[in-house]
Amino acid sequence: QVQLVESGGGLVQAGGSLRLSCVASGRTFSSDSMAWFRQAPGKEREFVAAIWWTGILYYTDPVKGRFTISRDSAKNAVYLQMNNLKPEDTAVYYCAAGNRGGSFSSGYAYWGQGTQVTVSS
């Protein structure tokens, strides 16, 4: 059974930092893309960042320069370092993995359960 488990969410003041982690089990994703999406209350899930198995990185414009995605293939894990957090970053953050990748949810077959990030002003 494939599982992706996120951790690292929490409550932080604006300008603060958090580091999200996602560890996969049940399958190796070293040849797949891994990504982070987020969903704010009342809004649709949106793409945040992705890292291809080749190491190529993609970010949505609102997080460029503030968020950094990385992966550790040996640990079957992906991380999201979030700096200079803003209240508009408040959302449930989801880890995803799949062999199509990209910035659309359809590119990822496996999803975590999500971790809440709340940024206070």
Side-chain angles (χ1 to χ4, degrees):
Q1 181 182 0
V2 176
Q3 283 190 316
L4 277 67
V5 179
E6 302 100 333
S7 62
L11 173 64
V12 64
Q13 288 187 332
S17 299
L18 284 174
R19 184 176 188 250
L20 305 184
S21 299
C22 172
V23 179
S25 61
R27 185 199 145 146
T28 299
F29 289 101
S30 58
S31 298
D32 295 277
S33 295
M34 300 189 79
W36 290 93
F37 288 74
R38 66 187 180 186
Q39 187 167 17
K43 295 186 177 181
E44 294 187 353
R45 188 175 299 185
E46 65 174 1
F47 170 78
V48 177
I51 180 167
W52 285 44
W53 66 274
T54 56
I56 294 175
L57 309 178
Y58 290 137
Y59 297 96
T60 187
D61 285 346
V63 309
K64 285 181 179 177
R66 300 188 298 121
F67 290 11
T68 302
I69 188 170
S70 61
R71 68 190 296 171
D72 185 334
S73 294
K75 295 182 178 180
N76 218 20
V78 64
Y79 309 96
L80 187 68
Q81 176 66 43
M82 304 185 295
N83 298 328
N84 190 22
L85 282 159
K86 303 176 180 181
E88 52 264 43
D89 294 319
T90 295
V92 177
Y93 283 70
Y94 296 91
C95 169
N99 59 9
R100 292 173 57 191
S103 60
F104 295 97
S105 299
S106 57
Y108 301 89
Y110 303 97
W111 292 82
Q113 81 290 347
T115 185
Q116 176 70 47
V117 171
T118 303
V119 184
S120 63
S121 57

